[in-house]
Amino acid sequence: MQALFVIMRAVSLLNERIGRLVSLLIIPIFAFLIFEIFVRYVSGSPLVWTGEATQLLFGIYAVLSGGYILLHREHVNVDLLFSRLSIRNRAIIDIFTSVLTFLFLGALVYFGSSLAYESIEFWERSQSAWNPPIWPAKLAIPVGAVLLLMQGIVKLIQDILTALDIEMPADLTLHDTAGGEK
Amino acid sequence: MSIGLLTVLFFLSLIVFLIAGLPLVFVLGGISIVFLYFTWGIESFYMVASQVWGSMNSFTLIAIPLFVYMAMILEKSGVAQALYRMMHLWWGGVRGGLAIGTVAICTLFAAMVGISGAAVVTMGTIALPAMFEQKYDKRMAIGCISAGGGLGILIPPSVLMILYSLITGASVGKMFAAGVIPGLMLALMICAYIFIRCWLQPEMGPALPIDQRGTWADKIEALRAVLLPMLIVTMVLGSIMLGIATPTEAAASGVLGALISAAVHRKLTWELVRESALRTFVLTGMIMWILFAAHSFSAAYQGMGATSLIQGLAAHIPGGPWGAIIVMQLVLLLLGMVLDPVGIMMITLPVFLPIITAYGFDPIWFGILFIINMEIGYQTPPFGFNLFYLKAIVPPNITMGDIYHSVTPYTLVLLLGLILVMLFPGLATWLPSIVL
C-alpha cells in the first residue's frame, strides 16, 4: 500500500510541476505577438515566424493542462445534487461514471499516439515559409492525454479507497471540493 | 436501433452523467466515443485525436488565454481602486450613486476584459465594503455587482463571443460590434433601476453626507483614473474595429496595457505575473478541454443523423419560427441555472444552429440573445459563477440566501433587455452592418 501511495504522490507532483511550468508559456505567446505588432508597425512588413510559433506554443499549452486541472478538481461539473452527498457516496458514484472518462482518454491516448507516430516518422514540418517542425506539438497530444489519464487513475484509486473506508495519508485524502465554488 | 431511439439515448445519457457530477469534458468525450462506435466503428476514434489537433491550430482561440490573462492582471492592478475613488466623488451625492458608479465601472471593465468574473471580484472587494459602510441595502449592493460584472461577456471583447464565432463561423468582429449597443443598453437599464428604486426608497442607497462629497478640485483630479482604462479600450477595441489587428493581436496589446497599468500603480511584481499566469492556465485549459471533447460530441451527434430529426421536431413547436426561438431561450435559461456557459454553448449550438439558419434568422442576432441569456445564467441559482465569486468575498454575515435574493430584480431587468433585443433585432444588427 505504501508503494501505491508513493506512486500516487509522484503522479500528482509531476502534474503540479508540469502545470506550473507550462502555465508560463503565456508569457512568450504574449511577447511574440507584441513583437510582431511592433515590427510590422516599424518596418511595414509582417514576420514569417510569430504566427506559427505562438500557434504551436498555444497548442502545447492547452493540451498539457488537463492533468493539472484534474489534480486541482477544476474541470467544470454540475454539482446540483452532487454537493449534497457525503464524500463517500460521491466517491462511489465517481467510480461508476469514470467509465466514460477512461473511454475518452483511452481513445485519445491510443489514436493520439498514432497521430503523433505518423508525424514523427518523417519529422513532420509545417511546409510554410518558415517551415518549423510540428511533430513536437502533435506529440503533446498523447503526452497530455497520458498525464490526464494518470491523474484520472490516481483519482479512481482515491475513490475506491474512500468507498472502502480505507485510511489514506492526509495529502491524498479526498476533500469536499464540489465544483463551482472557486 | 432507430435514429429516434438513439437520439433519445444520447441526450438521456448526457443528462444522467451530468447530474451524477462527472466533469463536462468527460461526459462529452465519453458519450461521443460510445455513439461514434455505434455509427462508424472503432476507426472513427482517430477523429477524436485529429479534432484535438484541429482545435490546437485555431489562431483565434489564442485570444482566449490572452484576454483572461489581461483580466487577471487588471484585477490586481489597482486600476479599479482609482476608478472607484472617482465614482465615489462624482456620484456619491446621488441616492444610490455608489451602486450606479459601481455599474459604470463594471461597464468600463467589460470594455477592457472578456470575462465576467474579474469585475465581480474586484468590485466585490472594493465597492461592497464602501456601500455597506454607507448603510446601503445589502441586496441592492450585492446585486448590482453581479449584474454589472455579467456585462463582461456582452460588451466586447468577450471570450464567449470568440467561442460562438468559432463554432458558428460568424465573424468575431461582427459579434463584438453587435454586443456594443445591447451591452450599453443593459448597463443603462440596470442604472435606471437603481436610480428609480433608491429615489423612491432612499434607505436602499442613501446619498453621501455633504462633507464626504469632495471639492471640485478633488473631482477633477480623480478623473485621471479613466485615462489608463480608456487607453486600453482604445488599444483593444479600436484596433479590432478599425481592422488594424486581429482579435488575437488586440488581446496581446490588452495584456501589455494591463501590465502598464499595474506598473503605473506600482503593483507589478513577478508574483503577480506568475499567479495570474497560473489562474489563466486553469481557466483556458478548462475551456480548451471542453472544446476538444465537444468537437467529437457534435461530430457524433451529426453522424447519427440527429440534426434532421431535431429539425423535424422543431417544426412541430407551436408558433412557428418565433415559437422555436422562445423555446430555445427557455431551454438556455434553464440550462444556465445548472451549467456553465461554455458547456451550454457546446451542447446546444450543434442542435440550435441548423434550426436558426433553416428559419432564416441572423446568427449574429441569435448570438447576442445567447450571450444575454448566459449573462443571466451567470447569476441565477443554484449554479451561477458570479454568485460563487461573491460568496467567496462577502463578509460572513451575508448568507447564500441573501445573495440569491439580491439578484432577483436585476435578473428581471436583464430579462427585459433580452426581450427588447428579441423584439428589435436592429439593436444588435445595426452596428455591425455599418462598421464592418
Side-chain angles (χ1 to χ4, degrees), chain B residues 53-84:
Chain B
W53 176 242
S55 313
M56 287 162 76
N57 269 309
S58 156
F59 190 70
T60 310
L61 281 177
I62 306 178
I64 293 178
L66 292 167
F67 276 130
V68 174
Y69 196 39
M70 175 190 175
M72 297 298 172
I73 296 171
L74 272 179
E75 197 179 305
K76 300 221 165 73
S77 65
V79 169
Q81 275 90 345
L83 282 173
Y84 187 74

Side-chain angles (χ1 to χ4, degrees), chain B residues 75-115:
Chain B
E75 197 179 305
K76 300 221 165 73
S77 65
V79 169
Q81 275 90 345
L83 282 173
Y84 187 74
R85 188 170 162 270
M86 182 198 80
M87 287 301 174
H88 197 94
L89 290 169
W90 280 87
W91 279 92
V94 178
R95 283 178 193 167
L98 297 185
I100 294 172
T102 301
V103 175
I105 297 174
C106 287
T107 310
L108 190 55
F109 244 77
M112 290 191 283
V113 306
I115 54 177

Side-chain angles (χ1 to χ4, degrees), chain A residues 16 18-20 22-24 26-27 29-30 33-34 36-37 40 50-52 54-56 58-70 72 74-82 84 93-94 96-101 103-105 107-108 111-112 114-115 118 134 137-138 140-141 144-145 148 179-182, chain B residues 17-27 29-34 42-43 45-46 48-50 52-53 55-59 61-62 65-66 69 244-246 248-250 252-253 255-256 259 270 273-275 277-278 280-286 288-290 292-293 296 337-340 382-383 385 388-389 392:
Chain A
E16 180 70 33
I18 289 179
R20 287 193 168 261
V22 174
S23 74
L24 296 177
I26 189 69
I27 295 167
I29 290 175
F30 154 69
L33 285 166
I34 289 293
E36 152 82 27
I37 299 170
R40 203 172 55 198
T50 47
E52 273 187 299
T54 48
Q55 192 75 73
L56 293 170
F58 172 70
I60 294 168
Y61 174 85
V63 85
L64 292 185
S65 66
Y68 181 85
I69 299 175
L70 182 60
H72 291 273
E74 300 263 20
H75 284 295
V76 220
N77 65 345
V78 177
D79 65 349
L80 195 55
L81 302 172
F82 206 55
R84 293 181 194 160
I93 295 178
D94 279 346
F96 287 107
T97 56
S98 70
V99 175
L100 283 192
T101 309
L103 275 177
F104 174 56
L105 293 178
L108 199 54
F111 288 92
S114 81
L115 184 93
E118 287 160 19
I134 59 167
K138 284 197 173 171
I141 299 175
L148 181 50
E181 294 181 46
K182 19 176 215 291
Chain B
F17 279 95
L18 274 179
I19 290 178
L22 185 66
L24 183 63
V25 46
F26 303 130
V27 178
I31 289 182
S32 47
I33 291 290
V34 172
I42 285 188
E43 284 313 305
F45 297 174
Y46 187 84
V48 178
S50 64
V52 170
W53 176 242
S55 313
M56 287 162 76
N57 269 309
S58 156
F59 190 70
L61 281 177
I62 306 178
L66 292 167
Y69 196 39
I244 304 171
T246 61
T248 306
E249 288 169 343
S253 56
V255 174
L256 185 65
L259 287 170
W270 171 242
V273 170
R274 201 196 50 192
E275 282 306 310
L278 199 59
T280 304
F281 182 59
V282 168
L283 205 58
T284 309
M286 184 196 94
M288 286 301 293
W289 272 93
I290 293 177
F292 291 157
S296 312
M337 292 178 186
V338 292
L339 202 58
D340 91 307
F383 184 94
F385 275 114
F388 295 131
Y389 287 133

